[in-house]
Amino acid sequence: MNDKRKKPSACEFARRKARGAKIPSLSLYDTPTAKIAASCGIDLLLVGDSLGMTVLGLKNTIPVKIEDVMRHSSAVRRGAPEAFVVADMPFMSYQTCPADAMRNAARFMQEADCDGVKIEGGVQMAETISRLVSAGVPVMAHIGLLPQRILTGCGYRKIGKNKEEERELLSDAKAVEKAGAFCVVLECVEDKVAEKITKSLRIPTIGIGSGDACDGQIQVAHDVLGLLPDFTPKHARRYANLAEEIQRAFTSYASDVIKG
Ligand code: KIV
């Protein structure tokens, strides 16, 4: 563990890519987990709207509200003052118009002390990204599978399987880079396409279910830790089985209490 690190700037991640250093990142939601992650050298932390499913028991990310992500972003900030903390802007907090995106991003920066925001979408979101970046908000872009569009999309599946999807992904990637995003999440993008995108961009690609050619990887902490026994996405690699550990501990505790 190493807890005396300097907080990276948004530009630092492109420098890491330029020197070939891979970028590990986690999506997490609370103070103690953020503190442990940062002390392990993971300094790009996302407060994902996946918190709807992992923490709040919701069925997808659509019902997640600004106040939910705000509350958890403040918690992560307190746990990891030395990390670059990104708030995932929830459904309809930025899609309505760039002015709403600016107003809501300002709340994440000013009230939750975040270092940047993440928004889903490529070409269609380029103008919003550009406005945010010009105003001083570092933006993590997100293309490929877009969970906030799950109800109008084709479900949870790999994107980039045919030439048309590949072309769209490449233009989305180019558009968010041009708009000034400091990195781009590639979610469930075909490995070969993710590799092409990674090679064609100066900013780092942070993959989830998109193969190992990406410049970095992001995983949901609950998946990595094995905290959700009833749900493990295909792309998640478990490094622990905390659900079992917790069950063992709670069972011993209950039995001690019952025995008096
Ligand atoms: O909500 C989230 O946690 C995310 C990451 C998995 C990229 O969007």
Side-chain angles (χ1 to χ4, degrees), residues 19-255:
R19 59 171 192 271
K22 293 276 187 180
I23 303 164
S25 178
L26 278 172
S27 179
L28 40 70
Y29 326 98
D30 66 87
T31 302
T33 315
K35 188 171 180 157
I36 296 169
S39 74
C40 298
I42 302 173
D43 59 6
L44 179 58
L45 302 180
L46 171 70
V47 186
D49 60 356
S50 52
L51 76 87
M53 290 91 86
T54 52
V55 175
L56 304 176
L58 301 169
K59 65 177 187 313
N60 55 41
T61 59
I62 310 295
V64 175
K65 299 201 175 68
I66 290 193
E67 278 62 34
D68 298 325
V69 182
M70 192 80 79
R71 189 82 175 171
H72 285 275
S73 298
S74 303
V76 167
R77 170 84 292 156
R78 285 191 288 275
E82 71 277 40
F84 194 94
V85 175
V86 177
D88 204 359
M89 293 190 73
F91 183 63
M92 287 303 152
S93 67
Y94 60 93
Q95 291 96 334
T96 40
C97 64
D100 286 350
M102 310 268 278
R103 222 180 342 268
N104 290 322
R107 291 194 62 197
F108 285 113
M109 312 280 287
Q110 295 180 314
E111 296 172 39
D113 197 16
C114 288
D115 302 301
V117 298
K118 175 166 86 59
I119 70 177
E120 293 183 9
V123 172
Q124 293 161 327
M125 281 299 141
E127 189 198 337
T128 301
I129 295 174
S130 167
R131 295 272 298 274
L132 286 165
V133 175
S134 312
V137 180
V139 175
M140 172 186 262
H142 181 157
I143 63 172
L145 186 117
L146 304 178
Q148 291 178 10
R149 294 192 204 168
I150 204 66
L151 302 179
T152 49
C154 307
Y156 293 96
R157 65 163 180 91
K158 281 267 200 180
I159 316 287
K161 282 191 180 293
N162 54 52
K163 281 286 159 206
E164 192 188 335
E165 281 185 1
E166 179 177 335
R167 258 193 310 276
E168 270 176 28
L169 282 165
L170 278 159
S171 56
D172 282 339
K174 284 284 180 198
V176 299
E177 175 172 80
K178 188 158 177 245
F182 76 90
C183 70
V184 55
V185 170
L186 305 184
E187 179 160 357
C188 292
V189 170
E190 279 295 320
D191 298 10
K192 283 269 169 266
V193 180
E195 187 174 353
K196 263 192 203 166
I197 294 173
T198 300
K199 285 186 178 148
S200 71
L201 297 186
R202 189 190 46 79
I203 57 168
T205 56
I206 311 291
I208 174 161
S210 302
D212 55 16
C214 295
D215 300 302
Q217 296 291 331
I218 184 160
Q219 288 283 324
V220 169
H222 282 52
D223 293 335
V224 169
L225 297 174
L227 270 168
L228 306 169
D230 302 332
F231 175 73
T232 312
K234 273 205 213 104
H235 52 70
R237 194 183 292 179
R238 259 194 205 170
Y239 288 82
N241 194 340
L242 292 197
E244 258 178 43
E245 286 285 309
I246 293 171
Q247 204 168 29
R248 251 194 305 276
F250 286 173
T251 306
S252 319
Y253 163 67
S255 136

